[in-house]
Every structure is written in structure tokens, then in C-alpha cells.
Amino acid sequence: MRIKSNMISGIIMTLILSVISKFLAQWLPFLGAEGIAMLLGIVLGNTLLKQAGFAPGMKWAEKYPIEIGIALMGLTVTLRTIEQLKLHGILFILLQMSLTILIVLWLGGRLFKVSPKAAMLMGAGNAVCGSSAIASVAPAIGATDDQRRTTVATVSITGVVLLLLLPAVGPYLVGQHNILLGALVGGVVQSVGQVVGTAALINPTVVTYATLFKMLRVILLTIVVIVFSKMAQKQQTDTTVVAPKGIKIPWFIIAFVVLLLANSFMMLPHVLTTGAKSISGFFGIVNLAGIGLNLKINTIKKAGGKFLTYGLVTGLVQVILAVILIRILF
């Protein structure tokens, strides 16, 4: 989308907040830059930066940089990621993701009574890669901005809770085994940044294993988008938003797959892959900053404790599932 003159001030404010969050993360690693950006964004977006003049740019910064970031994530993973996890590691992630999505959809429909699209976003965000997955699935299923923002906030908060708890309880759940701790963290925690942050609180070896498990979840993002897109065509119970006709895969998911394949079969310059990782990571912070700035108190009140409880229950279910599967498969 073209940047218009009335967007510049909002974009600048969002970028400044993102840089500050990245800086503050050095002293608050347990929150991570993404978590800091979202929390500061919620506070500032409802106080100092709530003027209407900032809104167009903040909405642009929330939606479009993350699309480039998701596309560039293709340069940070390869098909060799799958090979390194071996069969039981791949089976663990496939079962963990599938069961998480099924249970989250069931919880959303039967227990928490949220809309089908909100449940799909929760399923994607928790099963795959947090806000990036939600940003990918939302346009494919025709979700509203409020549904997207509320689920991103819920999933991000759940990720922060897991980030604080798993380093302490993980060794009691799966033992002092680096690969098992990597499977637990990489198979459960929501965003890529939160996975790395959680694993770093355990030890550097767990960071390596957790990242491998997490990258397999990222690789499977395209499949999740396609599945939810097809589901949206069949579940047209939300009459205010018509599900898209046909399977509409966002451009950045296609770019993600192309870049992943290029990175798998070609020797790309190291500066290109490391640069892509840095840019993708920063745009993830920009996305959370924009979401925080655009997430108004009224929206949070409207969601109430229901969504937060939904997110925390989902996090607990993910941990239980992961522990059971780890004990069976490993």
C-alpha cells in the first residue's frame, strides 16, 4: 500500500517506539522487544499518542512491514531444518500443531463462545508463530481488524507467561535433557523471538534445538493458511464478513515459500540471510508496536477476561500436550 502524507507522523512514532523497545529489551530480556513494544504501545496509544492524526500511519505500520518480514523469514530457514529434527522430531511438531489447532477451535466454539474466525486466529497464532501467523491467516479468512488485534494481544501475553514459566518448570516436566527442553520450548512458545528468549534462560544448547523445532512450525505456516482459508469458506456463520472465494494465499506467504526453496537449494551470501533475519525480527517488533498503539482500551474491555482466559488455557493445554508427546515419542 502506498504511503500517504497523512501517514508519515504515525509511521515515525511507531518506528521510534520499536527502536526504543529493542533497546529496552537488553535490560528486560524476559519480556523481549516484541512484548515491550506491545505493552508500551497499548499505554501510549490510549494516552499520549491517541490523537486521530497518528491513526492512519499507525494502522499502516501495523499491517504492511510484517508482510515483508514474513516473506524474508523464508531466508532464515531451509528444508534441511526438517532433516536435522529426524522422524520423531517432525512427528512431534506435526502432532503438536494439529492437536493444538483442533483443541483451540473446540475451546473457542464450545467453551469460550468466540467467533469461528477469532478461534482460527487463536489456533494459528498458538500453533505456528504468534503474531506473524495471525497476520498471515487474517486476510485469508476475512477476519476483522478487531479480531486480529485482540487475538494477537492474547497470544502475545500467553507467550510472555510461558517465557517466564517454562525455564523454571521445564526441567521438572521433561528432565535435564537439552533436546527435550528444546522440543518443549520450540513446540509450545508462540513467537520466534519468545522461543529464543525462553530457551536462552535455560542454556545456549537449548536455544539451538528450540530454534530448529520452531523453524519447522514456521515452515508449515503455508499449509495452515491454506487449511484455514478453506475452512472459512465453509463456516460463513459470521454474516458481517464474507469469507473469501477460493483459496486466497497472501503474496508474502508465496514469497516465503519461494525464498525458503531458494535458501534450501542455492548458496546464498551470508550477509543476505543474516540481513533478512535482522529485518524480519525488527518488522516483527514494528508489528507488535503498531498493534499495541491501535489496540484501544474499549476493545480490550469488550474482549474482557474471556479472551485472556482462553489464551492462558490454550497455553496450559499446549504444555500438557507437548509433555505427553515428548514422553511417547522420545
Side-chain angles (χ1 to χ4, degrees):
M1 179 180 175
R2 185 170 61 88
I3 299 175
K4 299 177 182 178
S5 58
N6 66 334
M7 299 177 179
I8 294 175
S9 61
I11 292 173
I12 290 173
M13 286 299 177
T14 309
L15 292 175
I16 290 173
L17 177 58
S18 302
V19 172
I20 291 172
S21 300
K22 190 172 176 63
F23 179 75
L24 290 176
Q26 299 175 64
W27 286 274
L28 298 168
F30 59 92
L31 281 178
E34 295 95 339
I36 294 170
M38 187 189 71
L39 294 174
L40 283 179
I42 292 173
V43 173
L44 294 174
N46 287 279
T47 53
L48 299 178
L49 301 178
K50 65 179 181 180
Q51 296 92 329
F54 290 128
M58 289 175 177
K59 289 179 180 177
W60 185 94
E62 175 190 349
K63 288 187 178 181
Y64 295 101
I66 190 61
E67 295 183 354
I68 300 172
I70 294 168
L72 291 176
M73 282 174 67
L75 291 174
T76 69
V77 292
T78 69
L79 294 176
R80 288 184 291 277
T81 301
I82 300 175
E83 184 181 354
Q84 293 181 63
L85 293 180
K86 300 182 180 178
L87 183 59
H88 54 279
I90 296 170
L91 185 58
F92 164 70
I93 289 297
L94 291 174
L95 289 173
Q96 176 74 7
M97 288 181 62
S98 300
L99 290 172
T100 294
I101 289 172
L102 289 173
I103 292 173
V104 169
L105 292 178
W106 183 85
L107 287 172
R110 297 294 181 87
L111 186 60
F112 293 101
K113 306 296 183 183
V114 302
S115 70
K117 289 184 176 63
M120 288 183 206
L121 295 180
M122 286 287 287
N126 285 286
V128 190
C129 52
S131 60
S132 297
I134 293 171
S136 301
V137 170
I141 67 172
T144 67
D145 284 345
D146 275 352
Q147 288 172 332
R148 178 173 51 79
R149 288 170 188 151
T150 303
T151 52
V152 165
T154 303
V155 168
S156 297
I157 291 170
T158 303
V160 170
V161 172
L162 291 175
L163 187 153
L164 295 172
L165 290 180
L166 284 184
V169 304
Y172 293 100
L173 296 175
V174 298
Q176 295 284 352
H177 302 285
N178 288 332
I179 191 167
L180 300 186
L181 288 166
L184 177 64
V185 174
V188 169
V189 180
Q190 280 72 5
S191 75
V192 175
Q194 288 171 339
V195 166
V196 174
T198 305
L201 294 176
I202 304 176
N203 68 58
T205 305
V206 175
V207 173
T208 301
Y209 286 122
T211 302
L212 288 175
F213 282 103
K214 182 61 179 180
M215 287 302 101
L216 179 53
R217 290 165 68 189
V218 174
I219 288 172
L220 294 171
L221 173 59
T222 308
I223 296 174
V224 173
V225 173
I226 293 173
V227 170
F228 280 139
S229 181
K230 290 184 72 69
M231 286 177 61
Q233 297 169 41
K234 297 178 181 178
Q235 297 181 356
Q236 305 237 4
T237 55
D238 183 357
T239 57
T240 60
V241 180
V242 179
K245 301 295 182 183
I247 299 176
K248 298 179 70 174
I249 306 301
W251 73 268
F252 47 91
I253 293 297
I254 298 171
F256 170 88
V257 174
V258 171
L259 292 177
L260 183 152
L261 293 174
N263 196 30
S264 299
F265 297 107
M266 299 169 61
M267 290 294 293
L268 300 177
H270 183 66
V271 66
L272 181 62
T273 55
T274 54
K277 185 176 181 180
S278 298
I279 294 171
S280 177
F282 181 70
F283 282 167
I285 300 170
V286 173
N287 175 243
L288 268 294
I291 285 168
L293 290 166
N294 287 302
L295 186 60
K296 302 306 177 186
I297 294 296
N298 287 338
T299 303
I300 298 173
K301 287 180 178 178
K302 188 177 179 181
K306 179 174 69 174
F307 254 95
L308 181 58
T309 305
Y310 186 14
L312 295 176
V313 169
T314 296
L316 177 62
V317 167
Q318 284 182 282
V319 172
I320 294 171
L321 278 176
V323 172
I324 293 172
L325 290 173
I326 286 170
R327 292 187 182 278
I328 293 173
L329 297 173
F330 292 87

